[in-house]
Amino acid sequence: MKKINYLIEIEEFDSINELCKDDQDLLKQAISASENAYAPYSKYHVGAALRLNDGKIILGNNQENVAYPSGLCAERVAFFHANSNYPGKIVEAVAITAKSEAFVVNRPVTPCGSCRQVMAETENIQQRKIRVIMMGETGSVLIAQSIESLLPLMFQAEELKIK
Ligand code: THU
C-alpha cells in the first residue's frame, strides 16, 4: 500500500474588490441571477453566471419543486442552458453566489457534487479549463482555476470504454 497525496490549489481574495473587472462583473451577474431563483422551500437563493468565449453571459438560478428531488441547482440550470442553446461554445468562467432569507451567507458558496460532475463534463468536452468564482453575500471570494481542483478523481467518460 502507498498513500497518494493530491494537491489542489484555490485562490482566496478578501473581498470582491480585489478581483479583476471581468470577475467582478460576472459575480454581479450571478447576484442578479439569484434574484430570480425559485426557492420557496429552502429560502436559499443561488445564482450562477457563465461567461462564454464570445462574451455572452448565461444566467441560472435554483429551481425548486414541491417534490424536492425534482428541483435543480443554479449551476446545472446555467450549464444545461449553455450546452443546449450554445453548443460548441467554450465556457470560460462561472461565478456562483447565494443569499438566504434566514441568515447572512458569509462564506463562499461552493457547488454541490452533482454540479461539479456536470461542470467537469463541460470542461472535458471543451478541453479548456473553467474558472470557478465563488462568493457568499459578504466575505471572501474563492477562485479555482479548473473544475479539477474541485473534483479530484472525477468520473470520466473514458471509463465507460464505449467504442
Ligand atoms: N443549491 C444550488 O443551487 N447550488 C449549489 O451549489 C448548492 C445548493 C440549491 C439547491 C436548493 O434549491 C437550495 O440550494 C438548498 O440546497
Side-chain angles (χ1 to χ4, degrees):
M1 191 277 273
K2 66 174 179 181
K3 285 194 180 167
I4 307 171
N5 294 310
Y6 290 90
L7 180 71
I8 65 154
E9 200 171 76
I10 308 282
E11 297 160 14
E12 182 174 22
F13 297 83
D14 285 341
S15 87
I16 187 172
N17 303 324
E18 286 187 11
L19 306 182
C20 68
K21 188 179 177 306
D22 279 357
D23 287 355
Q24 288 194 23
D25 288 349
L26 202 59
L27 264 175
K28 285 174 190 163
Q29 300 264 18
I31 293 168
S32 74
S34 73
E35 310 280 344
N36 292 330
Y38 176 65
Y41 306 105
S42 70
K43 317 245 182 248
Y44 188 73
H45 301 244
V46 187
L50 316 189
R51 193 180 57 243
L52 306 183
N53 58 334
D54 62 359
K56 183 149 188 63
I57 305 292
I58 307 290
L59 303 181
N61 38 54
N62 51 331
Q63 296 294 318
E64 298 185 348
N65 192 278
V66 64
Y68 286 12
S70 302
L72 201 61
C73 294
E75 297 91 322
R76 273 176 288 164
V77 168
F79 272 79
F80 289 153
H81 182 84
N83 294 343
S84 53
N85 292 289
Y86 304 95
K89 291 273 184 269
I90 307 285
V91 179
E92 291 182 340
V94 53
I96 306 161
T97 190
K99 61 171 168 266
S100 167
E101 293 173 38
F103 61 94
V104 176
V105 180
N106 57 12
R107 299 192 307 185
V109 178
T110 51
C112 80
S114 296
C115 289
R116 292 177 198 210
Q117 186 68 41
V118 166
M119 294 192 268
E121 183 97 5
T122 302
E123 197 169 78
N124 283 340
I125 291 167
Q126 67 183 26
Q127 286 294 299
R128 289 262 297 276
K129 293 182 187 311
I130 301 171
R131 281 159 56 69
V132 187
I133 305 155
M134 299 159 277
M135 195 179 91
E137 285 175 88
T138 61
S140 66
V141 180
L142 299 181
I143 297 187
Q145 295 295 347
S146 165
I147 311 299
E148 261 182 79
S149 301
L150 297 176
L151 197 62
L153 295 178
M154 67 183 72
F155 182 73
Q156 305 217 332
E158 303 87 72
E159 286 155 34
L160 293 177
K161 303 256 188 282
I162 294 171
K163 293 207 169 61

